[in-house]
Amino acid sequence: MAAATEAAVPAATAAEEEARLLRLEEQAEHGGGGAWEYLCLARRLRARRPAHVLRVGLALLNDASARSRLASEQWTLYEQVAVAAMDCQRLDVAKDCIGVLSKQFPGSTRVARLEALLFEAKGEWAEAERAYALILENNPFDQIVHKRKIAIAKAQGDMSLAIDYLNKYLELFMADHDAWRELAETYVSLQMYKQAAFCYEELILAHPTIPLYHIAYAEVLYTMGGLENLQTAKKYYASTIQLTGGKNTRALFGVCLLTKGRNKEEEGSELQSLAAEALLKNYKQKAPSKVPLISSMLKNMKLS
């Protein structure tokens, strides 16, 4: 009970922060003040609201008095407005902001990244690649730049190159579970299931209590087929059910599907019966109109 309460606190705080962001946004856009507070909060929450940030940020930059009061913080504002402008395809504004930053901080890696991002926004992929290559010459472990190279490959639809970049990235940053997941999903999109399975195995080893990785691994194994893979898939569907307290409908379906045409006496039949019961219970609670369909399906599978 205590753990549930602790988990609820960050969720409530996040909702409150989001509500505060929206209040400040409306206030700032209607001239009610709080513009800088809004922009700071948007950065801290990493909120993707480029049109609003662009309008509020430009108003501050165009007000010489307000800009001077920011002192050194104005350079952060220039950067924030530049990124928002690129998101909104206001490339003229982005170019002007980056130009100001370049004069203020010549040779800055941070500004060089913005210049490369501007090439990306223009669709000038080769120039962006060259700009990122120059940054990596000075700092081969620049994580942001490696991620941008992956994004460029995906933007051009070159999934093979994206996989190559992701593998090179993971050689340097093996603990980045988001990258492992992205690589797995990319392999799945190309029907390279064996490679995707390896990625999910790495994720489960590193994060054994995250049910998302268990069910993704089970579904890859189920897709691959074969007796050994199907038996392993059943184990990971079962672990997903355990980790979610029986609430994951996909895992319950997975266990049921793996019984179709199998001998009822085999090991695990009790799990399959329990999964069928849990499915019916969930549908009765959340989608009662679908209960006849589910009942008929389970009957055909000899599970009810």
Side-chain angles (χ1 to χ4, degrees), residues 36 43 61 67 70-82 97-105 110-111 114:
W36 180 242
R43 277 201 311 277
L61 288 177
R67 191 174 69 242
L70 292 176
S72 62
E73 292 283 3
Q74 67 179 289
W75 311 119
T76 303
L77 177 58
Y78 273 108
E79 181 182 34
Q80 189 174 8
V81 170
C97 290
I98 294 170
V100 171
L101 289 169
S102 184
K103 288 178 183 177
Q104 181 67 24
F105 305 102
R110 194 159 168 172
V111 175
L114 287 174

Side-chain angles (χ1 to χ4, degrees), residues 109 112 127-140 145:
T109 299
E127 288 79 359
E129 284 269 15
R130 280 194 288 271
Y132 287 133
L134 285 172
I135 296 172
L136 289 176
E137 281 181 15
N138 296 320
N139 180 12
V145 169

